[in-house]
Amino acid sequence: MPRLPLAALPRVAVALLAFGLAAARADFAPHTGSRVAALSASASHGDAAFAAAMTSRGTPPAISLPGGATWTGTLRVPALPVGGMLTFGLDRAGYTASAEISTDSTNGTDGTWQNLPVPLWLPEETGNLRLQKLDIPASAAPLWIRLRLPNPSATAVTNLADLELHAYDPAGKDDIWIALGASITRTSIYHAQFKAKIRELHGPQYDPVLFNLATGGSTTYTWHDGSPNLVAQALAFHPRARFVFVHIGGNNVTNIRPYDPATDSRDVIIGTHLESIYRTVVNAGRVLLPARLSFRDYKTAPLVNAGANPENGSLPYNVSVLDPLIARFAPHAYDSAAGRGRVDPYTFLLDRQHYLDGDGIHLTSSGRLAWTTEMLAPMAGAIVYPPPAFAFTSQPVSAAAFPGATVRFAATVNLPSATFQWFHNGAALPGATAAPLTLADVQAASTGYYELVATESGRALRSDRVTLTLADSSTSRTLWLDLGSASFPAPSPDSTGRRWNNLISSTNGSALGSLVFADGTALSGAALSVVASFSGPNTSGPTGNTSEPSEARRDSFYVTGTGTSGTQRS
């Protein structure tokens, strides 16, 4: 890998950083008992499950709302000294919401009802059931609330999920997160999965709420410009949010590659904007969790070549611009030993390029889920929550590769002081002492099983054992492919454990540069592309093959007229 001609940067003193981190983590510890039980609950759709969950501090399963229908949920809420919120999310763009409140109703229908505002954040953008909230005012006595959500489609089913009732913490230590960013973050923040991973890593006493405020195509200009700017609007929209994840600037970099810090001053705009954005968050009393720019394998010149030419990508901006700002504004999120930000999607995706979509920038369906569960929750969660027991937070994945291809295995643990050693067929690999393992020009001698041993303070952990096999023209394994819209990607894995590949564009040249077999094995050195455009995506497609996930059955690509269309090649 070519050496970057980057000037040495001043680093924060290790002793000061360590002291600051220890003090900050103690201060970050969030409130752990925010979920409250409704005194009674009823709903127009999904009533029994909704009532059972809401009266037991639970989360009901997703509710299917038929086309043209309006969901109405009614709750008797206990006294909330400083107020609370009811969260919800719909998987369809363009919806509206309304609510009412009553202090004198006796059964949820009689009495006097007044309108209760339900402001929505960017409901016109789809985004993985973007979480919204209904603020409930402070009250010394129980009260009734009623929420109405119309399905904006007259014909298609819309799913309603993430219904949770929370009380705000009188001490102000609410475990509420907001995420700011562009399309990668917009499509890759999953509230329920984030919560589950935090509870798995740090304990079931934590109950975080994660609001995705990212907007597609945004730049530092988008978030910095205006009065008030979008960052200030986001903070005002969620005044109880303590933790602010920021991943902004990638769309700036796209237009000004490569960056040479010795001669190029265009980074000043990104640096100035990010400094202002970070300062706005910190001055508002929030815990800033800034992320380095993600690794992108740009397919346009100048090429990044899968990481072999990092100077043509986002790395120089991380080193010269973001890392110094992170050290300055969020020392708790800065790793002085490594000299970089601790929330590091750059290294995460560099080591897991099978998560990149065909454009080398955005993420596959598996990559979008991993952004939440394998990157954000472990990396940012380690800053906010008390350290858990020594454990792997992500495991390596088996791979099949054509001869001559490059294969990467990677795993992560939750303690940054751990050391590593990779083993191949039971023998230690000389020099393989980093969590990611890169195997170039794989051949028959490279095949077999691999495992990673992590050691920390005398404790040793052994990763899952994974295999590397060679692929050729006679290789026969199952690969599942879902053709359709970005709104309904097939889950990967699905309920039976099968991994899926989602192709969400029907135009000529659309491609999946990374493929995965049904058993989770990554296929290196192969790609799939559309060589003749389909007519478009259909989101109300066949409903047969009921053994397949509903997302795979409800959308497809279609062809009208005659002629050649819809051909794939790998």
Side-chain angles (χ1 to χ4, degrees), residues 62 135 273 324 345 353 364 382 394 492 494 532 552:
D135 279 309
H273 285 177
Q353 294 185 38
T364 64
S394 68
S492 185
D494 62 19

Side-chain angles (χ1 to χ4, degrees), residues 472-562:
D472 56 32
S473 59
S474 63
T475 297
S476 176
R477 302 180 76 171
T478 302
L479 183 149
W480 289 91
L481 176 66
D482 180 16
L483 306 177
S485 71
S487 300
F488 307 108
S492 185
D494 62 19
S495 60
T496 65
R498 296 172 301 182
R499 304 281 177 166
W500 285 75
N501 301 272
N502 288 276
L503 183 61
I504 62 175
S505 176
S506 59
T507 59
N508 185 15
S510 300
L512 289 177
S514 300
L515 299 170
V516 62
F517 289 116
D519 62 1
T521 300
L523 175 59
S524 299
L528 181 144
S529 63
V530 178
V531 296
S533 296
F534 290 85
S535 300
N538 169 30
T539 58
S540 57
T543 58
N545 300 321
T546 55
S547 63
E548 312 309 338
S550 60
E551 293 88 347
R553 291 183 283 112
R554 71 184 300 174
D555 61 349
S556 59
F557 290 164
Y558 69 91
V559 177
T560 57
T562 59

Side-chain angles (χ1 to χ4, degrees), residues 30-185:
H31 180 59
T32 59
S34 66
R35 196 79 71 96
V36 294
L39 302 178
S40 66
S42 62
S44 58
H45 301 75
D47 176 65
F50 173 76
M54 301 308 291
T55 55
S56 61
R57 298 194 298 181
T59 305
I63 297 169
S64 295
L65 189 60
T70 294
W71 181 85
T72 302
T74 304
L75 297 170
R76 186 168 185 250
V77 178
L80 301 174
V82 294
M85 64 180 175
L86 174 65
T87 65
F88 61 92
L90 290 177
D91 66 357
R92 189 169 299 278
Y95 65 90
T96 59
S98 61
E100 297 170 302
I101 186 171
S102 175
T103 58
D104 60 4
S105 178
T106 61
N107 56 14
T109 56
D110 65 1
T112 303
W113 293 78
Q114 297 178 327
N115 289 332
L116 188 62
V118 195
L120 301 176
W121 184 271
L122 297 177
E124 67 275 10
E125 286 192 11
T126 57
N128 303 326
L129 289 161
R130 187 195 293 273
L131 195 67
Q132 307 280 3
K133 67 179 172 69
L134 167 64
D135 279 309
I136 303 170
S139 174
L143 49 78
W144 289 88
I145 60 169
R146 191 157 57 204
L147 175 65
R148 291 190 177 90
L149 297 168
N151 183 347
S153 172
T155 57
V157 170
T158 292
N159 291 314
L160 167 63
D162 296 329
L163 287 156
E164 298 176 0
L165 184 60
H166 292 265
Y168 293 138
D169 179 21
K173 291 190 174 183
D174 299 286
D175 198 355
I176 301 175
W177 299 57
I178 58 176
L180 314 183
S183 56
I184 292 175
T185 298

